[in-house]
Amino acid sequence: VITDGTSQFDMKSLTGETIPVTKGVGDSVLAGSVSLDGTVTVKAEKEYKDSTVSRILDMLEKSQDKKSHAQKFITRFARIYTPIVCLIAVLIMVVPPLFFNGQWHEWLYRGLSALVVSCPCALVISIPLSFFAGIGACSREGILVKGGNYLEILAKADTGVFDKTGTLTNGKFEFVTCEHNHCHCKDNQHRELLKIIAACERYSNHPIAKSINVAFGHYADECEVKDSKTYAGLGVSAIVDGVKYYVGNEKLMKEHCNDFKETNVIGTAIYCCSESEFMGDIVFADIIKQDSKDALKALGIAKTVMMTGDKEEIAKDIASKAGIDTVYSRLMPDEKANIVSELQKSGSTVVYTGDGINDAPVLSQADVGVAMGGAGSDIAVEASDMVIMGDSLSKLAIGKKVAKKTIRIVHENIIFAIAVKLLIIIGCAIGIFDENAMWLAVFGDVGVCLIAIANSLRALRVGKIKNK
């Protein structure tokens, strides 16, 4: 809790809130928040074990303990398949000679043929190889997968849950619009207003000030700036070319400007006024990535959900632009994990994509957790099952295509191998194949294995399928 001072706090890594939050005396601040433009005295009310960061790590460990992975098909299948085929081979050897006057040497060879062809090496080799090929195809596209079972789950995922900041959006402030003298404008118009704001913000270390200077700093190169002053949590003032200006949020304007007019544009507004009149405003916002909407369409998932710690109006604006079905805002990390848990209880297979410290518990809770590796935190990458090496969400759609193709190849190999083996075993059992059919048994084992392996390698080419 703040006992003295006022400052703006960057809480993006904890709550996903892009815009810094102003905190003053009496306000609580989370462990892990970063003070941007002021000096504050805080009183710790909780021990480390009860802090936000500690609880995030706690939830991460618990959700990993609860997480269950699908067993490999071959492990379950072998428990039933192996004893059954061994028993069938023995019956083929002994039943006809004992009860139907068959020749021992003839039925011994038929039983051995059945035993040879029943060897499950085609399944044992080709199924893992299919997953390895799928993982390799993903890695070519910059998607790291931590296990073949995650490809299996991703292929059947029907619910996509996404963090906002850094996942659907760029995670940094970009210029949106400018308004001056009631005239709406964009691009490089109204340079006078942009020049004044950039000059006033020249010496500020605030993230928004840095964005302003990157975008419009060159407009103010020739300005003479004096008496620059920072008002913690409010903005700045400075004398630019002999005239005093105030630049900051609506609270600063209300203190120094009588004709102040608040903008309706969604984002972070930076207002400007002189001592005599209101000049106008510019708006910065966390912009949606260019490929986000197309990537969500290409993903082909029935239900999409966005979860963020940011404000409701900002969350809804981004969700509408991205085509998201359901929006949750103002969430803490444990609330995100609870929502995913409820979705799973309702029967949904959830793939969650995020990049921040606050996403770690829910990345681990989801059936498949996908971390944005380009700008993602180390703990998010560690907690995830898949990592996109970059910031393009379209990679997730490619990953799902790879997963679906890989599972289809696995099913092809299983059906083909079992069908051929069963046909040969039945042929041996009913006497269609004679004692010279060992060559056919060898084909049913080695030949089928080679064909299945060749089919598995097709998964390596799936990564070349691009999002259209």
Side-chain angles (χ1 to χ4, degrees), residues 244-426:
K244 187 169 185 177
Y245 296 97
Y246 295 90
V247 173
N249 59 24
E250 62 276 8
K251 291 181 181 178
L252 186 67
M253 293 298 108
K254 288 174 181 177
E255 289 181 12
H256 299 280
C257 182
N258 294 323
D259 57 344
F260 164 64
K261 180 184 176 183
E262 193 167 350
T263 183
N264 294 320
V265 180
I266 294 175
T268 300
I270 299 94
Y271 301 99
C272 177
C273 73
S274 66
E275 291 184 305
S276 60
E277 65 172 338
F278 177 63
M279 305 288 293
D281 64 76
I282 61 174
V283 178
F284 279 74
D286 188 9
I287 304 298
I288 188 171
K289 292 178 182 176
Q290 289 184 348
D291 67 340
S292 287
K293 188 171 184 177
D294 292 337
L296 294 180
K297 283 184 180 179
L299 194 56
I301 277 182
K303 182 179 181 181
T304 52
V305 179
M306 188 181 83
M307 300 196 301
T308 180
D310 216 334
K311 296 177 182 177
E312 184 178 0
E313 61 269 21
I314 295 175
K316 286 183 176 179
D317 179 60
I318 295 296
S320 65
K321 291 175 181 176
I324 298 284
D325 301 325
T326 309
V327 184
Y328 296 94
S329 58
R330 290 291 191 185
L331 296 177
M332 294 300 289
D334 54 341
E335 293 173 320
K336 288 185 177 184
N338 290 338
I339 291 171
V340 168
S341 179
E342 290 300 318
L343 288 170
Q344 290 171 321
K345 288 176 183 176
S346 67
S348 299
T349 302
V350 179
V351 52
Y352 180 85
T353 309
D355 70 321
I357 295 172
N358 61 316
D359 294 312
V362 68
L363 281 167
S364 187
Q365 174 69 43
D367 296 290
V368 180
V370 183
M372 304 295 285
S377 67
D378 290 343
I379 191 170
V381 172
E382 181 66 27
S384 64
D385 307 312
M386 298 174 62
V387 182
I388 295 175
M389 299 307 295
D391 294 322
S392 176
L393 198 58
S394 60
K395 297 287 186 183
L396 184 59
I398 295 174
K400 187 167 175 64
K401 290 178 182 178
V402 170
K404 291 174 77 171
K405 183 68 179 290
T406 301
I407 299 304
R408 188 162 67 248
I409 289 173
V410 167
H411 291 163
E412 289 171 359
N413 286 344
I414 291 171
I415 293 169
F416 173 69
I418 292 176
V420 172
K421 290 176 184 294
L422 283 177
L423 285 173
I424 296 175
I425 290 172
I426 292 169

Side-chain angles (χ1 to χ4, degrees), residues 5-6 30 33 39 68 95 102 128 183 256 271 310 371 394 439 452:
T6 302
L30 300 175
S33 303
T39 302
S68 61
V95 170
C183 176
H256 299 280
Y271 301 99
D310 216 334
S394 60
W439 66 270

